[in-house]
Amino acid sequence: MTVCRTRQGEVRGRTSPSGVTSFLGVPYAAPPFGALRFLAPAPPEPWTGVRDATVHGPTAPHAPYAPPFDALVPDDVIPGEDCLNLNVWTPAPEAGAGLPVLVWLHGGAFGNGSGSVSAYDGSAFARDGVVCVTLNYRLGTDGFLRLPGRPDNRGLLDQIAALRWVQDNIAAFGGDPRQVTVFGESAGAMSIGALLAMDAARGLFHRAILQSGACHHFLRPATAGLVTARLAERLGIEPTWEAFAGVPLRELLPAQAELRAEVTADPARWGEVALNLMPFEPVLPGLALPGPDCGVDLLVGSNREEYRLFLVPTGRLGSVPLAALHAMTAAYGLDPAEALPVYRASRPAATPGELLDAVATDWFYRVPAIRLAEAVPGSYLYEFAWRSPRFDGALGACHALELPFVFDRLHDPSSAPLLGADPPQALADAVHGAWVSFARTGDPGWPSYDPEGSRTTMTFGAAATPAPVDDPRAEERLLWEGVR
């Protein structure tokens, strides 16, 4: 057992035979319940003696994923109120080691996920000389529902509190607080996009990796208020924080899940919420892209067929009507008569569902990544293009597929439903190695993205040998100019 000292007290971790020491379930803020419900995170209470940190702490309350995603996407539900906690993996649990630090923000549509799932075990990063931190932040109603009289974006405030904890404490675990890279996927990456525009987060991280999410997804205050009103209506309460605080979690969490299902089933009623498919998101007045002076090095990217995760396991890929394809393309801001022939040019045999995947992938993920890279000169862009063999190969390079490669966890049991058998270790070596290199040096190993030049994008594809390409699918990218 190994002991490190935090500002709140000492914690005892466990060292593996490989020499990586983990500290699990360390509180970075007080339990956000009782008098602290729906408030900004408060500092954790100090403790005496040595606190055991060998098992994961409670997760932020959330309902499980709905089928079929409950069997595909790793998640954890650990009950308990002390849910604002984090985990640290380090090869050198001692002050003065000065190692770079990676801080992980999990995805889950702002309503699911946790930092404790085995797929996010940080041992491979620690093995390669990087201190890795994963964390839990408030989700759903507690984290992102707009509640008059209470601060917006409480989940983002939790993330900021965790990053402050890293600044205050990570040196004791061998990390360098001046070399912090925050990285996240999906809602985690979208969170980073918001953090880049928040003064409270400035200086807390120095590099950022945004996987399948950027500065695109948020709710305007008026729309967020409509979500609050609808959830209150479902629960039969007034849309106030006091009323929501009085609803037991056993009733609140299913209602949140039902609300998300309602958005998917009846999009016409929901406007911009239906486009994002997420009733719980950061509440912002508008899109805010960081500028050249943001002071953060960026690595951003997406997967080539992200939207197939939402079309293939549900059986929708082969049943999308042509009229629905036209309607969704128009809803994303494109003229279907102009855009669909461009997409079909490189996919002549594509079905309407396959074209919807291409258009929706660009709108949700690829184009926001490009715009962020354009906004911050010197950014690096990637595309993950390895295709899963699952669902007879139809799953493709879908959303979340890159995660086991990033964490070098190809053989974690929770990854198998997406990966299938025998995923290429050489590709994991390349992807994971690029992330480690970026955390160490700010350079993942290929030329930066130049909007006035080649627009170099690193493709992680089937050959398991990364290859930089110039402006992939430029004709499709150009369709989106002027669409916000």
Side-chain angles (χ1 to χ4, degrees):
M1 296 293 183
T2 304
V3 174
C4 284
R5 177 176 291 279
T6 75
R7 291 195 177 185
Q8 287 73 42
E10 291 182 317
V11 289
R12 180 191 302 110
R14 175 179 286 119
T15 302
S16 70
S18 65
V20 171
T21 302
S22 59
F23 299 85
L24 310 178
V26 181
Y28 67 83
F33 294 96
L36 300 179
R37 188 83 181 272
F38 304 133
L39 293 175
E45 290 291 331
W47 57 85
T48 58
V50 179
R51 182 184 182 115
D52 183 73
T54 58
V55 296
H56 286 290
T59 57
H62 61 280
Y65 282 110
F69 304 106
D70 57 340
L72 294 170
V73 182
D75 200 0
D76 243 352
V77 175
I78 303 174
E81 293 193 345
D82 201 1
C83 59
L84 299 185
N85 58 70
L86 52 76
N87 314 296
V88 181
W89 287 265
T90 176
E94 56 192 21
L99 300 175
V101 181
L102 276 164
V103 179
W104 173 248
L105 303 182
H106 67 78
F110 299 102
N112 283 89
S114 76
S116 60
V117 297
S118 59
Y120 304 150
D121 184 296
S123 295
F125 285 113
R127 174 200 68 200
D128 294 331
V130 177
V131 177
C132 184
V133 179
T134 70
L135 60 101
N136 298 326
Y137 56 92
R138 278 174 285 181
L139 305 167
T141 296
D142 280 72
F144 293 95
L145 191 70
R146 184 153 219 233
L147 297 170
R150 288 295 182 262
D152 288 333
N153 304 321
R154 296 171 295 277
L156 298 183
L157 299 181
D158 294 343
Q159 296 167 7
I160 291 171
L163 288 165
R164 286 200 184 109
W165 185 97
V166 168
Q167 287 296 308
D168 291 342
N169 295 286
I170 205 63
F173 297 82
D176 182 354
R178 299 165 300 177
Q179 288 195 79
V180 174
T181 300
V182 62
F183 71 133
E185 183 264 350
S186 194
M190 296 168 197
S191 294
I192 297 171
L195 295 178
L196 287 168
M198 296 176 68
D199 288 340
R202 189 173 293 274
L204 297 181
F205 56 95
H206 314 92
R207 300 181 180 119
I209 305 173
L210 297 90
Q211 304 168 210
S212 303
C215 304
H216 183 63
H217 294 282
F218 62 91
L219 296 181
R220 293 173 176 83
T223 304
L226 295 176
V227 173
T228 302
R230 178 59 183 140
L231 183 57
E233 180 184 351
R234 270 191 163 275
L235 292 165
I237 61 173
E238 293 296 313
T240 65
W241 71 264
E242 295 95 339
F244 278 103
V247 178
L249 287 175
R250 66 178 180 275
E251 298 175 18
L252 180 61
L253 298 182
Q256 290 179 179
E258 291 162 6
L259 184 69
R260 187 160 33 174
E262 180 182 318
V263 170
T264 304
D266 187 15
R269 175 177 181 173
W270 287 94
E272 66 180 1
V273 180
L275 286 181
N276 293 352
L277 299 176
M278 294 184 291
F280 303 104
E281 296 184 70
V283 181
L284 303 171
L287 179 65
L289 287 169
D293 60 348
C294 73
V296 178
D297 301 326
L298 297 181
L299 168 58
V300 296
S302 58
N303 297 355
R304 182 166 292 178
E305 298 163 303
E306 300 260 11
Y307 208 67
R308 286 185 177 231
L309 178 64
F310 311 105
L311 294 175
V312 172
T314 59
R316 294 173 55 211
L317 184 71
S319 61
V320 174
L322 187 61
L325 169 63
H326 280 253
M328 289 304 298
T329 302
Y332 293 144
L334 298 179
D335 178 354
E338 175 191 6
L340 293 178
V342 174
Y343 276 93
R344 188 174 288 284
S346 59
R347 306 167 183 83
T351 65
E354 290 167 336
L355 290 176
L356 177 59
D357 161 57
V359 174
T361 291
D362 276 2
W363 185 84
F364 268 91
Y365 306 106
R366 187 170 78 106
V367 170
I370 290 171
R371 287 180 176 156
L372 180 56
E374 290 173 340
V376 183
S379 297
Y380 296 88
L381 198 68
Y382 77 88
E383 183 178 55
F384 185 84
W386 180 79
R387 306 188 82 245
S388 168
R390 293 280 288 116
F391 295 89
D392 297 323
L395 197 58
C398 71
H399 191 61
L401 187 63
E402 88 287 1
L403 291 173
F405 295 87
V406 168
F407 281 85
D408 195 7
R409 299 280 296 175
L410 297 187
H411 301 293
D412 188 289
S414 69
S415 300
L418 285 186
L419 285 181
D422 300 319
Q425 181 61 49
L427 184 57
D429 295 342
V431 175
H432 177 79
W435 268 232
V436 169
S437 177
F438 184 76
R440 284 177 175 163
T441 68
D443 183 346
W446 62 87
S448 62
Y449 186 83
D450 179 7
E452 305 302 323
S454 64
R455 295 178 177 266
T456 300
T457 303
M458 178 60 76
T459 300
F460 294 100
T465 301
V469 297
D470 293 345
D471 203 2
R473 300 186 302 288
E475 297 82 1
E476 295 165 16
R477 173 184 60 78
L478 290 169
L479 289 168
W480 296 93
E481 291 195 352
V483 177
R484 297 289 175 181

